[in-house]
Amino acid sequence: MSRSALRNRPLLRTAYTQEMAMLNTPAKRRSVLAIVVLAALLPFVVTDDLLLVLTLGMIAAVGAIGLNLVTGYAGQVSLGHAFFIGLGAYTGAVLGGDPEGPVLGYGLPMWIWLPAAGVVAAVAGLLVGPLAVRLRGLYLAIVTLGLVFLGDHIFREAREITGGPGVGRRGPELTLFGIDFSQDGEVLTRGQLQFLLALVFLVVFAVLARNITRSGVGRAFGAVRDRDVAAAVIGVDLTRTKLLAFSMSSFFAGVSGALYYAVVGVFEPSAFSLLLSVQFLAMVLIGGVATISGSIMGALFIASLGRISGEIAHWLPFISDASGSSGLLSVFQLEAILYGLLIIGFLIFEPRGLFGIWLRVRNYWKGWPFSY
Amino acid sequence: MTDFVQALVNGLGQGSVYALLALGYVMIYKATKVISFAQPSLMIIGGLFAYHFTRVWELPFWIGLVLAALCGAVLGMVVERLAMRPMVGKPVFTLAIITIGVDIVLRIIANRYIGVQSKIVEYPGGSERLSVGGVSISHQTLGLMVVTALVVVGLLTFFRKSRTGLAMRATALDQETALAQGIKVGTMFALAWAIAGGLAAIAGTFVATQAAGIEQTTWIIALKALPAIIIGGLESINGAVIGGLAVGVVEALTAVYQPDVAPWLGANFALVAPYALMFAVLLVRPYGLFGQKEVERV
């Protein structure tokens, strides 16, 4: 069928490959292009402090996509994401860190430390796999929670690598293709450079994840999530699928962790606590379970929550700006309460998350001014 | 040898706290098939109730303990009614995550009350210790063990002898059948949460009598009861008690022997020893020591 014949019937599909295509409607093609272009132009209109928030949000989105692969798509509840993020962060920091610094560092270039961070985390994911294969549901959640505590202990004790609690260490050097992303360049400022770098990585990993989910592996994930015994009966190798899910998710987490703390600069072992796992879980749940675009929305939303609660604090007299005891709540406490309430609220009222809200809005305007 | 017995006794004391908390987890799990991650906040708030009753209102310790347990029970019921009941029938994973949200919110409120100074409840015996053959045990630990034993015996009798206990067991077995027999399943859920809240509050009160009292970081203790229920098996009351005591003993023994035997594990390894124990047990028995193997059906 020729292209012109399809012009007025864009949703007509004549082959499964069209149905399974990544951008299977013209609207998707146009809007994704528009979003990417707008995002690329954003650093030139937004101030640097807001850019940093968005940069960190986009890097966290890579980790959130990873968690969504294992928890959303493959249905294996993981509270251990913080451990893999930490593993990636420290692998990156050791390989790419300053060799003359007080802690271990080899000063390797970014094209080595970034993939290495992902691979080390993925291998750790494979090691956790055997437990995941034998356990399921909430047993698995508790075991992965134990992983966070064991990891926290290891990070605290390995002082020559992590600097120890209260001291911390510097992240790796952000230099790629001769461009130094850690200081202002000739044309662009540091914030703009980092934003664009994060955007490129986010697009690459989002496309990668989308491709995983629409491949045979992705369908196997879905089958395991929906009913693992049934999946095994129709020939899905449970062990292999769960191991794959954990290692892929950990790879994303490792890369995200290494990049995140390269941008942040100095970080402490206490960063990788249970709270971080809960934050990532919140990104996935608030964004939308088993959607890539939802993970990105969720991550950007959670990352800017600190900023949002700061803005709210200006308007509410009973919230103090600093951590002082005047006022009813401090900004940090407000932020934490918002987390909790958002998780509860979304799960009760809109389990599909921000992605679900987007669907509702889209469907409303699709039929506007008619109700359907 | 004296060191060993002393560590064992200390471990059983701390293990009693874990056992109380583990019982709470098991109560909620048996009734609703959900693991409640809200227990840490219920424990902290229970301890703070006891602090408020005994230190601010200056009531005697034992009255404060009972009142705190009652308040904890009410709080548990409120949480169940507001956050859990609207979600009946949803996947248990969703409910578990909601309890995480509840925990975060409640803990912030508790932290507001705690402030910077730790809140310590005074045990009537003070710092007196009972010594038998070189092994000494504080009155506070003794009281904790006695209370734990009473609570466990009371709970078991409640489930065996009373009509309500029977109804709760029926609900745990099969909700629809229980409903068909005229049992108010919703009330049973609330009751399970009330028992769990009360147990958490008792545990919290005894945590508050320890030297460190209740600080903003004390909630971590309640999470150590999770390895306890995994080791014991999620469905088993006996398993919860044994698991809790085992976790306490392993923690105490590790604290005494690990610095000499395995210094490469680092300082304070005892704090994470329960999780290491959990991994070891799960690799051998995936459903814990006393848990039921799930029968799978397509």
Side-chain angles (χ1 to χ4, degrees):
Chain A
M1 193 171 288
S2 71
R3 203 176 162 74
S4 61
L6 284 175
R7 181 162 297 154
N8 295 320
R9 283 171 288 165
L11 295 180
L12 174 72
R13 312 237 196 278
T14 50
Y16 281 115
T17 46
Q18 293 170 343
E19 175 76 26
M20 291 299 294
M22 197 181 306
L23 302 168
N24 53 7
T25 63
K28 264 188 207 170
R29 273 192 286 275
R30 270 179 248 132
S31 55
V32 166
L33 188 69
I35 289 173
V36 172
V37 169
L38 279 181
L41 293 177
L42 201 63
F44 305 102
V45 288
V46 175
T47 54
D48 270 16
D49 60 327
L50 194 59
L51 270 186
L52 182 64
V53 172
L54 293 174
T55 305
L56 293 178
M58 288 195 296
I59 298 173
V62 174
I65 292 172
L67 183 62
N68 217 339
L69 280 180
V70 74
T71 298
Y73 285 95
Q76 308 296 308
V77 183
S78 170
L79 283 172
H81 215 56
F83 172 67
F84 299 114
I85 296 267
L87 219 49
Y90 283 119
T91 309
V94 165
L95 292 181
D98 182 7
E100 263 92 65
V103 283
L104 208 57
Y106 292 105
L108 296 172
M110 186 171 170
W111 59 268
I112 293 182
W113 63 252
L114 193 65
V119 168
V120 167
V123 169
L126 273 183
L127 295 180
V128 180
L131 281 170
V133 173
R134 301 189 66 173
L135 306 170
R136 73 162 93 119
L138 294 171
Y139 270 95
L140 184 59
I142 296 180
V143 169
T144 49
L145 178 123
L147 203 61
V148 173
F149 281 99
L150 285 179
D152 191 55
H153 176 74
I154 296 169
F155 293 149
R156 272 171 204 279
E157 289 305 316
R159 280 168 205 277
E160 58 276 23
I161 292 175
T162 67
V167 184
R169 68 163 296 158
R170 285 200 67 77
E173 306 290 331
L174 263 182
T175 312
L176 193 62
F177 306 126
I179 308 168
D180 189 353
F181 290 89
S182 51
Q183 46 195 301
D184 292 350
E186 284 170 25
V187 192
L188 300 168
T189 67
R190 172 169 166 256
Q192 289 167 334
L193 281 171
Q194 289 179 346
F195 181 90
L196 292 172
L197 181 74
L199 181 66
V200 169
F201 274 105
L202 176 59
V203 169
V204 167
F205 278 93
V207 169
L208 178 65
R210 192 75 181 78
N211 277 334
I212 291 171
T213 61
R214 63 199 186 95
S215 67
V217 174
R219 285 190 295 278
F221 284 178
V224 170
R225 171 193 60 201
D226 293 341
R227 198 92 183 90
D228 52 356
V229 184
V233 168
I234 57 170
V236 173
D237 185 345
L238 282 188
T239 311
R240 185 172 161 272
T241 310
K242 287 183 181 176
L243 286 180
L244 258 180
F246 263 96
S247 55
M248 280 178 183
S249 149
S250 309
F251 183 85
F252 278 66
V255 170
S256 161
L259 263 184
Y260 193 93
Y261 291 99
V263 171
V264 167
V266 179
F267 61 107
E268 264 192 73
S270 58
F272 309 104
S273 64
L274 187 59
L275 184 67
L276 190 67
S277 285
V278 173
Q279 281 179 359
F280 273 97
L281 216 48
M283 289 176 194
V284 168
L285 291 170
I286 290 174
V289 175
T291 57
I292 301 294
S293 49
S295 315
I296 299 172
M297 285 192 270
L300 288 175
F301 182 64
I302 292 288
S304 46
L305 201 58
R307 180 91 179 195
I308 295 172
S309 46
E311 296 294 327
I312 296 176
H314 286 305
W315 298 97
L316 296 177
F318 56 85
I319 290 174
S320 63
D321 291 2
S323 54
S325 55
S326 63
L328 194 63
L329 291 171
S330 71
V331 174
F332 306 108
Q333 290 169 332
L334 175 71
E335 190 184 340
I337 282 202
L338 282 180
Y339 271 130
L341 291 181
L342 280 170
I343 295 177
I344 300 173
F346 266 99
L347 285 174
I348 292 182
F349 298 112
E350 180 50 282
R352 290 176 303 172
L354 290 171
F355 185 77
I357 292 178
W358 152 244
L359 280 185
R360 279 198 219 170
V361 171
R362 191 193 70 183
N363 290 346
Y364 176 80
W365 287 108
K366 246 184 173 176
W368 192 85
F370 307 106
S371 56
Y372 58 87
Chain B
M1 190 62 202
T2 321
D3 280 357
F4 179 78
V5 177
Q6 183 66 57
L8 208 61
V9 170
N10 292 349
L12 287 175
Q14 189 61 27
S16 303
V17 169
Y18 299 145
L20 285 173
L21 289 161
L23 274 173
Y25 285 108
V26 169
M27 287 295 127
I28 294 174
Y29 183 80
K30 277 175 85 85
T32 59
K33 298 287 173 287
V34 173
I35 291 175
S36 155
F37 289 101
Q39 285 333 82
S41 61
L42 291 178
M43 177 190 88
I44 294 289
I45 293 180
L48 292 180
F49 273 129
Y51 172 84
H52 199 84
F53 294 144
T54 57
R55 299 298 289 272
V56 180
W57 294 356
E58 297 184 340
L59 296 170
F61 175 79
W62 296 105
I63 295 177
L65 176 68
V66 172
L67 283 181
L70 287 178
C71 291
V74 171
L75 185 65
M77 282 164 85
V78 169
V79 168
E80 195 273 340
R81 191 70 196 83
L82 291 183
M84 297 285 108
R85 197 71 68 81
M87 300 297 287
V88 166
K90 296 278 165 60
V92 287
F93 162 64
T94 316
L95 283 135
I97 301 296
I98 288 187
T99 59
I100 293 185
V102 170
D103 184 61
I104 293 175
V105 174
L106 286 181
R107 218 144 28 75
I108 295 287
I109 298 170
N111 282 352
R112 272 315 288 179
Y113 185 89
I114 296 171
V116 282
Q117 211 182 356
S118 72
K119 297 283 177 271
I120 301 172
V121 171
E122 266 179 45
Y123 188 76
S127 53
E128 287 171 50
R129 296 178 82 84
L130 189 73
S131 286
V132 180
V135 179
S136 79
I137 177 170
S138 71
H139 282 201
Q140 176 257 341
T141 312
L142 212 54
L144 167 60
M145 287 175 172
V146 171
V147 168
T148 308
L150 284 177
V151 165
V152 172
V153 171
L155 271 181
L156 286 176
T157 335
F158 169 72
F159 282 116
R160 295 241 170 88
K161 306 282 181 189
S162 74
R163 281 182 72 84
T164 325
L166 186 64
M168 285 189 74
R169 269 163 48 207
T171 312
L173 210 58
D174 190 323
Q175 292 176 5
E176 283 185 9
T177 317
L179 212 55
Q181 307 294 324
I183 294 169
K184 291 198 181 81
V185 171
T187 316
M188 296 305 132
F189 290 171
L191 200 55
W193 270 86
I195 295 176
L199 290 172
I202 297 175
T205 308
F206 277 98
V207 168
T209 60
Q210 291 168 356
I214 289 189
E215 300 167 74
Q216 299 206 352
T217 51
T218 308
W219 62 279
I220 300 272
I221 289 179
L223 289 183
K224 276 190 237 161
L226 284 172
I229 56 169
I230 293 288
I231 291 164
L234 283 173
E235 288 95 358
S236 167
I237 293 182
N238 301 335
V241 177
I242 292 169
L245 295 177
V247 163
V249 168
V250 165
E251 195 180 25
L253 289 180
T254 320
V256 173
Y257 290 106
Q258 177 259 332
D260 298 329
V261 178
W264 50 272
L265 285 171
N268 293 327
F269 180 73
L271 295 178
V272 294
Y275 299 104
L277 178 69
M278 170 178 77
F279 281 110
V281 169
L282 280 181
L283 280 175
V284 187
R285 289 186 62 97
Y287 292 94
L289 296 176
F290 300 95
Q292 296 158 2
K293 189 165 177 4
E294 254 179 86
V295 181
E296 298 179 46
R297 237 187 265 181
V298 180

